[in-house]
Each structure stands twice: as structure tokens, then as C-alpha cells.
């Protein structure tokens, strides 16, 4: 196993930098990662891009971060500064990343989980096959029996907060990004990755359970300016994402859930449908 790590961070985001560096130190991997100064989209020249300056800066940051690594003969792990690692992230990553990179040119350690039933059922199936729930009931600090790799070619997903690029795929990814930058870019970097994976231009998988997640505070206070946000909806999507995290805090998730639904006026009305979803996500469900 050999990879280089980079984390993308805006110069003005001093607190985010300190928080991520503390998480890397706690995970015992601070020496593997170096900072890449993010590009402030407000400093970029005019273009015909429909993206906000923040989105343009984010795209440019990922592109330049990958380009900077081209002189090193190693796989590349990119983190954004809202990434969260747990105590079992690095042990699980060290055991599995080489295998993951044999099946995917890009390997995500977590993704944004959309409200797409088919994708959620597949993620739940792969999560269950890891046997992490059973293992944690016996020993709260245990690793999953398996880390599974879910092919994203036909999945509904977006992500850019934590992903690997295989060393022999970096040049091809850069070529695709350069073409997109020349056209605008026309779409944010996470959606661009979705597009090229669905088109079969690069292969990608996500690890299950997720080996990373994102900071909920950062979810509600994105540094990518110009994106419309609804705090409660963002929190709901954070909870979907965090559910699959290898070191998730069940107590905190339950508290978030209570806060999210406390004042809904249709709680009883939805009970029957929620029972159906519970079955769909169980091991007894057989897809038709």
C-alpha cells in the first residue's frame, strides 16, 4: 500500500484547517497528508461558466491538486477540509485500498447519498454484507468482516470530499477535466465526476461501510458560496450519508432524527410507508 494524501483548504478557512488536522492527528495519519491551498473562485477571470465563483474555485482546486501530484508515482487520496475520519478509518483503509484500486480507477471512501430508493437499497445491501452491525454488537471497536466495493457506474451519487485516483488514471482524469474547464466548466466537480463515471470514461467504486464522512457543521455552513441551502434538508441528507459510516455515532444520529421530525404534522400518517421502507432495507427483501 502506497499513496500520497492531499487535503484542500481555503486560506481563510483557518478553523476548518485546524479541525481537519486534529482529526488526521487523532487518526494517526497526519504525516501522510499535506495541505493544498484551495483556489478562491473570486480571483478567477471571467468565463461563460454557469457556475458560481465558489463552484468554479472548487472545480479548479481539485484539478490543480491532481495536476500537482503528477510527478509522484503513487495513488492519490484527496480530502476536502470537511472530511471526518474515525478510529477505524485508517486500519480498514490500509487493509483494503489496494484491492479497491484494482476494481476502480476512482475509489470513494464515502458519497452523498441521494433520496434514490434503488441506490439506497444497494448501499444497504453492501453495508449489511460487511457484517459491521453484528461485529459492533459484540465489540464496539471491531472492524467489519469485509469492506465491499459498490460499482457506481449506474448509481445515483455525487461526491468529492474523499476519494482516491489510481496513479495510472490521473492523466486521463486530468484530460477530461481540462476539456470541461475549457467549456466553462458547465457543472460542479462532484457532478462532473458523476457524469464521466456514468459515461464509462472512468470506473469508480465506493467502499461499504463508508470509511469517512463529513462534518455536520460544515454541511450546514458550506464554504462554496452561492449554493441554495435548507438546513433541515441538508441535515436529513447528512444523516443518510452518516448512517453508512464505519464509526457512526448511533446516539447522535438518533438525536438528529428526533430533532428532524419533532414538529412534523404527518408523523402518524407516514407510519405505514415507513414500515415498508424498513422491510425494503432488511435482509428479507428480495428485489423483483
Amino acid at each position: 500500500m502506497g499513496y500520497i494524501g492531499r487535503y484542500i483548504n481555503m486560506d481563510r478557512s483557518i478553523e476548518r484547517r485546524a479541525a481537519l488536522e486534529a482529526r488526521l492527528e487523532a487518526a494517526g495519519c497526519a504525516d501522510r497528508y499535506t495541505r493544498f491551498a484551495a483556489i478562491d473562485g473570486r480571483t478567477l477571470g471571467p468565463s461563460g461558466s454557469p457556475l458560481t465563483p465558489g463552484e468554479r474555485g472548487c472545480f479548479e482546486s481539485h484539478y490543480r491538486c491532481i495536476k500537482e501530484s503528477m510527478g509522484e508515482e503513487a495513488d492519490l487520496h484527496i480530502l476536502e477540509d470537511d472530511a471526518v475520519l474515525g478510529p477505524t478509518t485508517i486500519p480498514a483503509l490500509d487493509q483494503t485500498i489496494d484491492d479497491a484500486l484494482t476494481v476502480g480507477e476512482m475509489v470513494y471512501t464515502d458519497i452523498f447519498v441521494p433520496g434514490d430508493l434503488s441506490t439506497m437499497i444497494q448501499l444497504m445491501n453492501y453495508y449489511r454484507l460487511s457484517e459491521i452491525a453484528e461485529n459492533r454488537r459484540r465489540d464496539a471497536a471491531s472492524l467489519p468482516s469485509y469492506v465491499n466495493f459498490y460499482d457506481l457506474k449506474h448509481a445515483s451519487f455525487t461526491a468529492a470530499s474523499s476519494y482516491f485516483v489510481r496513479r495510472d488514471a490521473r492523466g486521463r482524469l486530468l484530460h477530461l477535466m481540462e476539456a470541461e474547464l475549457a467549456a466553462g466548466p458547465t457543472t460542479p466537480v462532484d457532478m462532473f465526476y458523476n457524469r464521466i463515471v456514468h459515461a464509462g470514461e472512468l470506473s469508480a467504486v465506493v467502499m461499504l461501510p463508508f470509511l469517512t464522512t463529513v462534518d455536520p457543521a460544515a454541511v450546514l455552513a458550506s464554504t462554496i458560496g452561492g449554493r441554495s441551502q435548507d438546513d433541515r434538508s441538508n441535515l436529513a441528507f447528512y444523516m443518510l450519508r452518516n448512517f453508512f459510516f464505519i464509526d457512526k455515532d448511533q446516539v447522535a444520529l438518533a438525536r438528529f432524527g428526533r430533532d428532524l421530525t419533532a414538529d412534523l404534522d404527518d408523523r402518524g400518517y407516514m407510519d405505514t410507508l415507513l414500515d415498508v421502507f424498513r422491510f425494503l432495507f432488511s435482509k428479507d427483501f428480495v428485489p423483483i
Side-chain angles (χ1 to χ4, degrees), residues 161-199:
S161 65
S162 175
Y163 62 97
F164 282 79
V165 184
R166 201 167 70 197
R167 68 191 73 182
D168 63 345
R170 280 180 297 174
R172 197 147 29 95
L173 178 57
L174 280 177
H175 178 74
L176 293 167
M177 295 181 86
E178 286 163 357
E180 179 66 16
L181 284 166
T186 61
T187 187
V189 67
D190 51 355
M191 292 301 298
F192 169 75
Y193 288 159
N194 172 290
R195 190 177 80 202
I196 63 175
V197 169
H198 284 181

Side-chain angles (χ1 to χ4, degrees), residues 33-146:
Y33 294 84
T34 57
R35 178 176 178 268
F36 179 86
I39 309 302
D40 187 338
R42 295 172 300 182
T43 67
L44 298 174
S47 77
S49 174
L51 303 188
T52 67
E55 290 169 333
R56 284 184 64 206
C58 184
F59 197 114
E60 192 77 38
S61 296
H62 282 263
Y63 166 72
R64 295 189 193 184
C65 185
I66 296 168
K67 187 174 183 178
E68 184 186 77
S69 75
M70 287 298 290
E72 303 193 52
E73 286 298 319
D75 304 311
L76 173 66
H77 185 199
I78 293 179
L79 293 171
E80 293 185 334
D81 61 7
D82 61 350
V84 171
L85 297 78
T88 51
T89 295
I90 297 302
L93 187 63
D94 286 348
Q95 290 182 24
T96 58
I97 186 57
D98 285 346
D99 290 337
L101 286 165
T102 64
V103 294
E105 293 165 308
M106 297 179 72
V107 174
Y108 290 92
T109 58
D110 74 283
I111 58 172
F112 173 85
V113 179
D116 173 76
L117 184 58
S118 175
T119 298
M120 286 193 287
I121 289 173
Q122 289 296 324
L123 291 174
M124 184 66 77
N125 182 47
Y126 278 73
Y127 179 80
R128 187 182 299 107
L129 289 172
S130 75
E131 299 181 353
I132 188 170
E134 292 82 356
N135 292 355
R136 289 288 166 86
R137 278 195 286 267
R138 295 189 295 268
D139 178 1
S142 65
L143 290 169
S145 298
Y146 312 95

